[in-house]
Each structure stands twice: as structure tokens, then as C-alpha cells.
């Protein structure tokens, strides 16, 4: 036997040995790679149950979390786009095979307890959810950080907390804790009262703009509600036209109007010390430069002015 045939023979033994070990090992003890290989083989065989969900419910009907799928859209048999109207449970969890005969064959499992990689879990969801809303998913921060669809979405439920207006903010702030803290500061958008949600501005599945915004830019996002700040105006204020978050923290601030700093310190970030225009008053209330609204006592049209004499944004 020459060296080439010896190599082929050795490789065949390794492959056969791995396949034998994967088949003979209980599926709970398979590692991630072995589990995925076994599932791929099951899909290739395509041994689906002729009874569909009825076969699964013989064992799983006592689990309330399993049965809750019939309360939501995924369990709607009258909707042709619903998994339950097609292959039913096996549409997401894979072909039954011999799983119900001693439980020696694995099924696709989702969530934190799953041994499958995040990418593999998400591929199942993207088999149906592949419309324009998910077109930027592969470059999104959530995908690059290995966030699984099941980490946010709950399929076996009457309502998905990631899609329900009253719970979507809680879903997002489970991870985005800094934004949660900002939402509860004295000046913020009405998010803590559920009058506004994270997905009003952001697309959790990714977007072509920065910070996964629904609109092309930060300013366009703000203008969708604050249309009066859009302009055009005769006299523009540079930071207003460039980026709203130069002065504002959209998630909340301890300062009025969600400002990142109080005036005059906020104004001093751009306006150098050249006299009264940026003079810091150590004791607020001493004069017009530090009392009340500070710089805004005179320069009240800070977002721009249409007055012919409004070059200094005073009128």
C-alpha cells in the first residue's frame, strides 16, 4: 500500500470513528460540533413525523411554555406564513427522526441552554425572517456580538416582549444598562412611561446608518419628532445642523432639555474666552452671564434664526 492509499485509509478510520462516537453518545453529552453534525445528518435524511405537532405534544403538552406557542402568531394554523400551518414544530426544531424513541436523537434547541452556536440558531429564524428589515443584520452590532434571536424574542408566547410597546424597552435595557440609567434622569424622553420606545429610533436588526438608527442620520431621527428644528433658517448654528447629540444626550440627562452640560460650560466647548460671550461666572445669579439661562438669556434662538438681524441668534 503506497503512502497515498495509507493516508486515505487513515482518514477513513478517523471519519468513521467520529461518526460512530457521535451516534453512540447520548445527545446531551455531544459537544457543539458533534451536535451540529448530527443535526445536519437528520436534515439530510428528512425523517419528519407524519403527525406533526401531535407527535411532539405527546410528551411536551404538560409544559406551559411549550403550549403558549398556540397563543401567538407562530402557532396560528390559519396563517399560511406560520410554522404551525406547515411542518409545525419541526419547521423550527428540525425533523423528529427517532427523537421520540428513547430521546437519543437531538432536536434544535434555542436560548441560553442551547449548545448550538448563535449563528446556527439564527439561521433557523432567518429561513423565514429574511425581508428588508433584516437586510443589515449581518453587519449589525448585535450579530457581531453573537446575540441570538432567542436572546430577545420569545416565540412560545402570546406576545413577544421585544415587539410589545409596553415591554420592548425592558427587553433592550436588560443589556443596555447605561441607557436605562439615562432614561431615569430628570430630563429625558418619555421612555420610562412607555410613551416612546427604543425601536422608535433604533433598528435592533441593524441599519445602514450609525447607531442602527431607522433614519439615515441622527438629525433626521430627531427631526421626525422635532420638525420645528429642521429649518432651513437664515442664520444657522453650526452644531445644530451638524449633529444634535453635540449638545443633547437623547437618552436623558441631569440637565434641562437633555443637555450634556449646563450653560455656559456647554457653550464654552466651542466658544473661546474672548470677553463676555464665554466668561464663566462662579456664582450663578450674579449677572446675566451666569443667572437664569446663562448664555441663553440673550442668545435665545440657539437652534437658528430667521430674523434679518439675528446673526448672533438673539432674535
Amino acid at each position: 500500500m503506497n503512502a497515498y492509499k495509507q493516508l486515505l485509509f487513515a482518514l477513513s478510520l478517523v471519519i468513521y470513528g467520529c461518526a460512530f462516537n457521535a451516534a453512540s453518545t447520548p445527545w446531551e453529552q455531544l459537544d457543539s460540533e458533534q451536535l451540529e453534525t448530527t443535526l445536519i445528518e437528520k436534515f439530510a435524511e428528512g425523517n419528519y413525523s407524519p403527525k406533526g405537532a401531535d407527535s411532539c405534544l405527546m410528551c411536551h403538552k404538560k409544559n406551559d411554555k411549550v403550549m403558549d406557542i398556540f397563543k401567538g402568531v407562530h402557532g396560528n394554523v390559519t396563517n399560511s406564513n406560520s410554522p404551525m400551518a406547515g411542518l409545525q414544530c419541526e419547521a423550527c426544531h428540525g425533523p423528529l427522526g427517532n427523537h421520540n424513541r428513547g430521546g437519543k436523537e437531538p432536536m434544535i434547541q434555542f436560548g441560553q441552554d442551547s449548545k448550538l452556536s448563535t449563528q446556527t440558531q439564527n439561521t433557523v429564524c432567518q429561513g423565514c425572517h429574511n425581508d428588508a428589515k433584516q437586510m443589515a443584520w449581518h453587519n449589525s452590532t448585535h450579530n457581531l456580538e453573537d446575540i441570538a434571536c432567542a436572546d430577545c424574542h420569545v416565540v412560545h408566547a402570546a406576545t413577544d416582549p421585544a415587539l410589545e410597546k409596553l415591554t420592548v424597552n425592558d427587553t433592550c435595557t436588560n443589556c443596555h444598562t447605561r441607557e436605562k440609567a439615562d432614561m431615569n434622569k430628570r430630563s429625558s424622553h418619555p421612555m420610562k412611561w412607555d410613551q416612546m420606545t427604543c425601536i422608535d429610533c433604533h433598528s435592533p436588526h441593524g441599519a445602514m446608518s450609525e447607531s442602527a438608527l431607522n433614519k439615515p442620520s441622527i438629525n433626521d431621527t430627531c427631526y421626525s419628532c422635532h420638525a420645528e428644528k429642521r429649518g432651513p433658517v437664515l442664520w444657522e448654528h453650526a452644531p445644530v445642523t451638524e449633529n444634535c447629540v453635540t449638545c443633547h444626550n437623547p437618552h436623558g440627562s441631569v440637565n434641562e432639555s437633555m443637555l450634556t452640560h449646563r450653560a455656559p460650560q456647554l457653550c464654552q466647548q466651542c466658544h473661546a474666552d474672548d470677553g463676555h460671550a464665554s466668561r464663566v461666572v462662579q456664582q450663578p445669579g450674579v449677572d446675566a452671564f451666569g443667572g437664569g439661562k446663562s448664555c441663553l438669556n440673550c442668545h435665545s434662538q440657539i437652534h437658528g434664526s430667521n430674523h434679518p438681524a439675528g446673526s448672533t441668534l438673539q432674535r
Side-chain angles (χ1 to χ4, degrees):
M1 184 180 294
N2 58 34
Y4 178 72
K5 290 184 178 180
Q6 288 178 344
L7 178 60
L8 288 179
F9 180 71
L11 288 174
S12 65
L13 288 177
V14 172
I15 294 173
Y16 177 79
C18 290
F20 177 78
N21 289 335
S24 61
T25 305
W27 66 272
E28 293 89 349
Q29 299 179 11
L30 297 177
D31 59 30
S32 178
E33 186 176 351
Q34 291 175 324
L35 178 61
E36 192 164 339
T37 301
T38 304
L39 289 170
I40 291 174
E41 293 175 354
K42 286 189 65 179
F43 268 98
E45 295 172 359
N47 188 11
Y48 291 91
S49 170
K51 296 183 179 180
D54 290 338
S55 299
C56 306
L57 296 179
M58 290 178 64
C59 297
H60 297 285
K61 65 181 179 181
K62 295 181 179 180
N63 190 325
D64 292 337
K65 291 183 178 180
V66 172
M67 299 303 293
D68 281 345
I69 192 171
F70 295 102
K71 300 177 182 179
V73 294
H74 287 85
N76 187 356
V77 295
T78 61
N79 187 343
S80 60
N81 294 323
S82 170
M84 202 55 64
L87 292 172
Q88 300 186 340
C89 305
E90 294 167 283
C92 299
H93 295 283
L96 182 66
N98 293 319
H99 174 74
N100 61 336
R101 299 177 182 177
K104 297 299 183 183
E105 287 190 2
M107 303 292 287
I108 297 175
Q109 187 178 1
F110 301 92
Q112 297 179 351
D113 296 332
S114 177
K115 291 184 179 181
L116 292 175
S117 65
T118 299
Q119 199 71 27
T120 301
Q121 294 181 54
N122 290 349
T123 301
V124 178
C125 303
Q126 290 167 342
C128 295
H129 300 280
N130 55 2
D131 56 12
K133 293 181 179 180
Q134 284 81 34
M135 63 180 297
W137 168 254
H138 295 288
N139 291 326
S140 69
T141 301
H142 282 158
N143 181 50
L144 297 177
E145 293 291 340
D146 283 335
I147 303 299
C149 303
D151 290 340
C152 301
H153 295 280
V154 178
V155 175
H156 287 258
T159 56
D160 188 344
L163 300 177
E164 178 66 27
K165 185 176 181 180
L166 297 178
T167 56
V168 61
N169 289 347
D170 293 332
T171 302
C172 298
T173 54
N174 282 334
C175 295
H176 299 279
T177 54
R178 178 178 296 179
E179 285 70 22
K180 182 178 183 179
D182 289 340
M183 285 165 50
N184 288 279
K185 291 179 179 177
R186 61 187 295 265
S187 177
S188 65
H189 282 113
M191 299 180 70
K192 57 187 175 183
W193 295 287
D194 297 316
Q195 297 177 7
M196 183 177 176
T197 68
C198 303
I199 59 177
D200 290 338
C201 299
H202 300 279
S203 173
H205 301 111
M208 299 302 177
S209 58
E210 58 181 311
S211 301
L213 293 170
N214 295 328
K215 301 293 183 180
S217 67
I218 291 176
N219 281 18
D220 287 333
T221 303
C222 300
Y223 293 154
S224 61
C225 293
H226 304 280
E228 74 281 2
K229 303 296 190 298
R230 181 188 297 273
V233 293
L234 181 61
W235 303 103
E236 293 181 338
H237 191 193
V240 175
T241 58
E242 291 172 359
N243 196 329
C244 299
V245 300
T246 301
C247 299
H248 300 278
N249 182 348
H251 296 109
S253 171
V254 295
N255 303 311
E256 292 292 337
S257 302
M258 294 184 288
L259 294 174
T260 57
H261 299 82
R262 295 181 181 180
Q265 284 80 7
L266 176 64
C267 307
Q268 288 177 332
Q269 293 181 355
C270 297
H271 299 279
D273 189 359
D274 58 355
H276 87 279
S278 60
R279 179 161 59 88
V280 175
V281 178
Q282 298 298 331
Q283 298 178 355
V286 174
D287 52 27
F289 307 131
K293 293 187 177 181
S294 188
C295 303
L296 275 69
N297 287 331
C298 298
H299 305 281
S300 58
Q301 304 302 311
I302 202 67
H303 290 100
S305 173
N306 276 317
H307 195 281
S311 59
T312 56
L313 306 180
Q314 289 182 297
R315 59 183 72 185

